[in-house]
Amino acid sequence: MSREAADWDAWMALYARGHENPPSVDQEPCPNCGARAVRLVFVEKSVTGDGPASLWCGSCLQGIYLSRTWIPDNAERLAPGATPEEVRAVIPNYTVIWPDAEDEAGNEGDEDIESHTF
């Protein structure tokens, strides 16, 4: 991929701040492009208050996806049972930044950037 992208660690640092105080994430600059167009949305999968998290920039359409996490009380969320159409109406198709293969296995590898469709 020819375009430079912010790495996983930068996005995870932003996620950590956003998870701590979800309403503040929209005031944070995007780790990739610097725009203040970041959103953090959770899709609640059960009444236990957990589910996947999507964190992306509405300007450059890059971000991260976490498959299961605890959802803070004051976070933007889609209710359990949200249809795929309801999810797509809120969460766009954005490029997901994944952890570097080197970071996980300790080996040198290419940056793993993929597109994720909801």
Side-chain angles (χ1 to χ4, degrees), residues 5 14 16 31 33 37 44 50 56 64 72 74-75 79 83 86 103 105 118:
L14 176 58
C33 72
E44 195 169 358
D50 63 346
W56 76 95
I64 61 173
N74 58 345
T83 66
E86 291 169 327
D103 291 342
F118 292 92

Side-chain angles (χ1 to χ4, degrees), residues 4-90:
E4 287 296 314
D7 68 10
W8 171 260
D9 292 334
W11 280 102
M12 280 304 295
L14 176 58
Y15 172 77
R17 292 189 304 275
H19 195 272
E20 194 69 29
N21 184 8
S24 71
V25 78
D26 64 348
Q27 298 169 16
E28 292 269 358
C30 168
N32 187 61
C33 72
R36 295 190 187 275
V38 177
R39 284 190 66 192
L40 174 59
V41 177
F42 297 86
V43 180
E44 195 169 358
K45 292 296 182 184
S46 68
V47 294
T48 60
D50 63 346
S54 293
L55 176 69
W56 76 95
C57 173
S59 181
C60 68
L61 292 177
Q62 292 197 19
I64 61 173
Y65 173 80
L66 302 171
S67 62
R68 187 65 106 207
T69 185
W70 169 76
I71 303 172
D73 289 335
N74 58 345
E76 183 176 356
R77 72 181 72 207
L78 297 171
T83 66
E85 294 79 18
E86 291 169 327
V87 173
R88 280 192 298 273
V90 175

